[in-house]
Every structure is written in structure tokens, then in C-alpha cells.
Amino acid sequence: MPRGKVRATTPIENEALRIVRPSKLAAGVKGVTTSFRHTLAQSGIKGTIQTMRSVNRFDGFDCPGCAWPDPDDHRSGFEFCENGAKAFAAESTSRRVTADFFSTYSVSSLSEQGDMWMDKQGRLTQPMYLAEGDEHYQAITWESAFALISERIRATDPEKVALYTSGRASNEAAFLWGTLARQIGTNNLPDCSNMCHESSGVALNTSIGIGKGTVKLEDFDYADLVLVVGQNPGTNHPRMLSALARCKRKGGSVISINPLEETGMKRFKHPQEMLRMLGTGTTIADDHVPVRINGDSALFKGIAKHLIENNAVDSSFIDRHTVGFDNFVSNLTDVHWSDIERVSGLTEERIREIARIIAQSKRMVICWAMGITQHRNSVQTIHDIVNVLLLGGHFGRKGAGACPVRGHSNVQGDRTVGINHHPSESFLAALDAATGIKSPRDRGVDSVQLIQRSLEDKFDVLLCLGGNLLSAMSDTEVTAQALNRIGLTVQISTKLNRSHVVTGKEALILPCLGRTEEDTGQTGNRFVTVENSMGVVHSSRGTIKPASNQLMSEPDIVAHIGNALFGSSPIQWLNLAEDYDRIRSLIEDVIPGFDDYNARVRQDGGFYLPNGPRDGPIWNTPNSKAVMHSHPLDSFEVEDGYTMMTIRSHDQYNTTIYGMDDRYRGIKNARRIVFMNPEDMEKDGIISQQEVNLISIHNGIERRADQWKVIPYSIPKGNIATYFPEANVLIPLESVAIGSNTPTSKSVHVRIEA
Ligand SMILES: Nc1nc2c(c(=O)[nH]1)N[C@H]1C(S)=C(S)[C@@H](COP(=O)(O)OP(=O)(O)OC[C@H]3O[C@@H](n4cnc5c(=O)[nH]c(N)nc54)[C@H](O)[C@@H]3O)O[C@H]1N2
Ligand SMILES: Nc1nc2c(c(=O)[nH]1)N[C@H]1C(S)=C(S)[C@@H](COP(=O)(O)OP(=O)(O)OC[C@H]3O[C@@H](n4cnc5c(=O)[nH]c(N)nc54)[C@H](O)[C@@H]3O)O[C@H]1N2
Ligand SMILES: [Mo]
């Protein structure tokens, strides 16, 4: 019997949209008071003080907000930012979702509620089971839940099982998770980075031989130039602004390359210095370059042309360390300035002006995030960025390098410890030797492939370690249909979200401890470890009383599933999870760079993982040199309609909506809005706040989303912006980046219907 109608998207709110003056100053007085209001409202004053004291201290927990590192030398205990505070507040809320809640609300009635409402219901407190055809989740014991999962997995083939990971999982949980998948017999490990920095991983691996960035936090003190490309740090990595401000104080320059001039890049006040009321803050960006959406490849090609024409390249570095230079040069001669100008939306003179600044730089860092990784040609664009760094020899040098700024606080660590759908032979061989299992060698599915194959009934069981796959993935309605076809979906979660209502035929919710909470196993107070965006592995120890006495830690949950499936041979699952030092010893045996893991991670601040291009430079590529890739200029311009990017507001954490405002962009009470250039509005006869429908077009198929309000905004002509996840219904599942298969969330071809 099918369930009642379940909505896959948040209902259209009839909100009272107001356009106000955007905050010009990031993380100033307002930021701090706002953050306190958030924690206070949700966890009460005692909770607030306790939480704030433990943030990012050596003996406290790692901020669940983002992957930006803390200063090596001092973790003051008050290293926090407004949005980090919102992330704690959301986790340390005093509200609870109990079994009664689920008997009040059926899944279909829950689905009629908004995304923000769902998160605000509080912490999940006990395991819940949704039987096939049922309308209500009902309580289930942990034991029965594990038995059910094991039964369903045993009843199917290993390739019909997938294990999704969201990037908050610790190294310990993620390592067990990957190992569990391989003991089951699959590399089906789709993860949030497939939708995030996968393009960076692919592009960096194939050019510099490591899928990560090559800078340390201290490099920002030495850099004479930092480019911030396709990234909005004021909202998504606020603590990065301190590093940029320090760079500037030491004489460095910062250039922001972005279709939008984001707050924070304009002016910033360090929250820790805040109470001293220092002036009006530091101006961060010395220059703002309003590139068109997906115009970055053209821009960096133009920069490279200028550098080569003017012989402003480090020839000895290029000779010693790279291959592909000659080919790159001849390829660039076929790229014409007229095309570069059209695609980037910038004049030749403007691009040469930026190139002249780059030519002067001895120590340049280039940072980027989702504005670069979520396009058709993202891998190529990142190759273009790396080429500009290679031309100037900006590797293996203090104050220089590539800096893909990671999102989720441990997304980088999860990949390092084996969350990978195409693991290397050396990793699998080491895992087999250390554990006694026989890992499969076949490539597994990524997130997009998981959805595509579920539509063809190729999946029976999907286990999710955190996250909200339904809302994070592109093509929401199609994704929902795919998930509905899976036999059993299991969500290991802290908070309620739409993936708990749009499920497989049967579903389980397994509530787990959050990062901030005390983890008292049989061996006493346990801690986990994480890796930040700069390759530092450090500890994170929760300090707050758990939200419910029925919660289990993530490693414990994974181990119990392993134990239910396989008992204790060859992996002693329960024994392993009892004491996380044992998991870490196993990681040390399997993954290079974790020597003396248990000892070194107990040092204040942890330790750096080795990084060839940074430490050498040494290149772990086929011919031991960095590769300069040459690609033709792909433009993916749209002839009719607009190129739409889907971005984050200041009041959300991915699919978790904290509030309906976007203070830095001057928006109150609305999320279904379209930022549009005033000249485009005039051309289309659209007035401010007019309601329009959005229609995306891909391979002749139309997808619609109705009732969006238009906001005039400073954005390049032909470009529009909307918020994720509301706009995900418009992103076709098949529209992905070449080479990384990442949904093209930042370039969606859209028509506007007035
Ligand atoms: N508070 C908060 N913090 C977060 C998150 C959150 O949701 N909330 N999410 C976390 C996660 S998982 C991630 S991955 C990061 C995301 O961090 P960001 O990448 O900063 O997030 P987005 O909002 O997607 O912003 C992308 C930026 O790229 C710009 N952009 C879009 N298209 C282009 C383009 O073609 N070229 C250029 N040059 N710029 C472009 C947009 O204008 C926007 O400023 O933040 C992490 N931190
Ligand atoms: N259109 C569009 N789509 C996008 C993006 C975009 O820019 N545009 N960005 C993409 C990016 S960069 C990312 S990373 C993905 C994010 O994809 P996901 O990581 O899947 O999504 P989140 O919204 O971060 O997941 C939030 C949920 O995680 C659970 N959770 C929180 N903390 C914990 C914890 O400690 N343990 C466990 N087990 N669960 C926890 C809570 O239940 C919460 O509801 O979305 C992607 N989707
Ligand atoms: Mo992300």
C-alpha cells in the first residue's frame, strides 16, 4: 500500500519579503550579538557559555561550521564566528523530537512543513522505524534496528547496497564506514564531496598529484597576493576573513573574483577584537572583479596569455617542475581575446591589469570554492587556475599555493581515510592486509550515479552517515522518485530533515551524538579526530551532556551494523569501536602519514599530513612533474534566457535553514527570490519583487519552479542567482561537470516567465 503524498520540497511560503540595506560590515557588532541571540534562544544561557568556552580549544570540540583551520599557536577558546555559533546552537538546542512527535505527525503531514520548521523541532532522541506503506514512524530498539539492517543487506547483492557520507563524520566513523562497505563487498560510497569539491580533487590530482590544497594557514601571513575566487567567506568561512585581514596588515593584497560583491570582502571586523570597537573594520578586497558566471576559465586563460607574452613567468621552475608548457603556450595562441572578453564579461585591459599584479607577485595564494567547482567545465577551470600558479612557481614556497577551501568540517578527512568510490589499489591492499577482509576492486557509484541507478531499481539498501541527500542533490523531484524505489533507507542523524520523510519503502532513523556532546564509551570519555582544510589532523572532544540517553556515537553505530552482519571475524567490530585508539591504530596501519597517530593527535593542535607539492615540491604524478593541462575555451553560453547560480544565504547551513533573512544581501523574510540585474529586468519588463516562474531547459526537457520574487541586484547581465536547496528542482540530474560528475549547481540554463 503506498503512503499518502509526500512533498519532496519545502512548501512555498507566503512570506513578507522586505528589501533592506545590506549590512556592509561582516562579523561586526551585529554578527556577534546575532550569534549570541541564536545560542541563547536555543540552548539557554548556561548552555551558551558552556558551548562557547569549548569551541575550537585544543581540549574542546572542533567547530562543526566549516573546515577552515584555527591558528596553530593559540586556540583562545573564543575563536568563533556568527555562523559557527549558529551551527552549535542548532546542535545544542534544548528541543527534542521524540516517539510522540512521530505519532502526532505522519510522514506526509511532516512533508507539508518547511525545511526551517523541521530543523527547529530539535534533536532526534531515539531510533525510529517506518514500515512499508505506513504513515507513521514508530519506536524500535537499537538491537532490532541493527538486525533489520543486517537482514536486508544479506537478502541482496553487495552492489545493490550504498553507503552515503556527509562531511561532518569524524575520521574514526568514516574509516569504519568505508571498511564496512568493503566488507559488505562494495565501493558504493557516494558522498557529499561528489556535490562539492570533487572537481578540485580530480583537477588537482591530475595536475599536482594530490587532491588537496597546498597551503598552511601561516602562508596567509607571508602571501603578497591572495585571490579569492568563487567563494563567499563572509558567510561560509567567516574565520578566513581574519587570515585575509592579517595578510593585508602585513602588506599583502586581496582580490575577489566573483559575480557578486559579497559582504565581508568589503569590510570586516574581527569578532574577537570586536568589543574593543576598533574603528570601522578592515577593507578586505583591494579589488573586486565581477566575472560572469563560469567566466573564470576565460579570465585565467587571459591572465596566462599576458604572463607568457610578457615573459613574466618563472622559467627555471617551469623547466624543472612541469610538463606540458609548450603545448599550453601553443594552445593559448588559439584562444582569442574577443572570446575571452565575451565569456568572462571583462575587458582585455581589465584582465591585463589583474595579470600585471599577478606578474609582480612572488608569493601568491589562490583560494576557491563552489563558484568554481559546480560548472560543466570545473575541472578544466581548476587546471587553468593551477597553470597560473605553476607559471609563477607558486608551489613549495612559503606564502604561496593552491587553496580549495573545503566546506563541511571533516569532508577532507573523510576522503583521506577512505570514503572514496574509486579507491586506489594501494589503499585497498593495505586495508585488506590490516583487517583480513577482501575488498572489492570494482568502482562504486558517486552521488549522481546512485540516483540514476536507483531509478532503474539497482539499489535495495541505502545507509546514510549524516547529511540530507534528498535536498542536497540536484533534480529534487527525480531524486525523490529514485529514493522511493529503494527498499530500505537508513539515516544516521542528529536533526530532522526532508530525507527522513522522502524515504525508501522502509526507513530507519538512527539518532547519534553530535560533535559537541560527551562521548562516554566503556573506556571513558572518548574523542574523535578530524582534518581541516589545510591538512591538519587534530582531536575533537565533546563537552556537553548528550541530548538523550538513547543516542549512540557514530563509530558505535557503524560497529554494531558490522557486528550484526559479520560478527567479530575477521574484524572485531565492537571491540574496535569501544576504544577509538584502536580505530586510529588501524588507520595508521592503512593510510600513509598517520604514523604515531594516537600520540601525535594528543599534542596540542595535532599534526600536519604530508603534502608533496607544499613540502617539496614533490609531484606524485606519472612522470614526477606537475602537469600543465591545455583545454580549449569552453563557454557554455546560453542564447536565450539566463545562467543561474544557486548559492547559500547568510542564514543557512547547506540544507539546514536557520532563518529566512540574508542580512549581507539585504533580504528579510524570503528565500524564494531571484537576484537579477536591473537592466535585464527592464529589458524583460519585470519590476522589483514581481513574482515570476523559473523554467530550466536541458536536452529539450523543461523543469519548472513557480512563484519566485525578483530582486534587483548588482550581478552581471545575463546572470541570475537563487538559493539552494529551493532551486535544486531546476538542476537536471544529467547536468554534471566533466570528469568529476558534480551537479552543475552554479550554471543552470533558466528561462524567466513573467
Ligand atoms: N554558514 C555556512 N557556512 C558554510 C556552509 C553553509 O551553508 N553555511 N556550507 C559549507 C559547505 S559544505 C561549503 S562547500 C562551503 C561553501 O562555500 P561557498 O563556496 O562560499 O558557498 P556558495 O554560497 O555556494 O558561494 C559560492 C560563491 O561563488 C560565487 N560564484 C558563483 N558562480 C561563480 C562563478 O562562475 N565564478 C565565480 N568566480 N564565482 C561564482 C557566488 O557569487 C558566491 O559568492 O561553505 C561551508 N560553510
Ligand atoms: N543547488 C545546490 N546544491 C548543493 C550545493 C549548492 O551549492 N547548490 N552545495 C552542495 C554541497 S557543497 C554540499 S557539501 C552538499 C551537502 O549535503 P549534505 O552534507 O548531505 O547536507 P547537509 O545539509 O549538510 O546535512 C544536514 C543534516 O546532517 C545531519 N547532521 C548534522 N550534524 C551531524 C552529525 O554530527 N552526525 C550525523 N550523523 N548527522 C549530522 C542533520 O540531520 C542535518 O539535517 O549539498 C550540495 N548541494
Ligand atoms: Mo560542501
Side-chain angles (χ1 to χ4, degrees), residues 83-150:
N83 279 344
K86 289 181 197 165
F88 309 133
E91 188 168 296
S92 61
T93 170
S94 54
R95 302 198 184 108
R96 299 289 178 265
V97 173
T98 61
D100 287 347
F101 174 89
F102 289 106
S103 50
T104 310
Y105 291 99
S106 65
V107 271
S108 45
S109 70
L110 271 179
S111 77
E112 294 300 323
Q113 301 290 345
D115 289 345
M116 183 170 83
W117 182 93
M118 286 201 196
D119 183 68
K120 295 264 189 271
Q121 299 317 299
R123 287 287 298 275
L124 297 161
T125 52
Q126 64 188 93
M128 301 299 300
Y129 171 61
L130 182 66
E132 187 161 356
D134 264 12
E135 273 285 348
H136 289 266
Y137 273 97
Q138 39 184 295
I140 184 172
T141 63
W142 279 105
E143 215 176 318
S144 309
F146 295 134
L148 186 101
I149 295 171
S150 134

Side-chain angles (χ1 to χ4, degrees), residues 448-459 475 477-486 733-734:
V448 168
Q449 290 162 345
L450 168 74
I451 300 306
Q452 285 169 334
R453 300 204 188 152
S454 298
L455 288 169
E456 302 162 1
D457 294 322
K458 299 247 168 75
F459 280 96
D475 227 343
E477 297 294 347
V478 172
T479 294
Q481 286 165 28
L483 294 174
N484 288 158
R485 301 183 82 96
I486 296 174
L733 190 61
E734 326 71 75

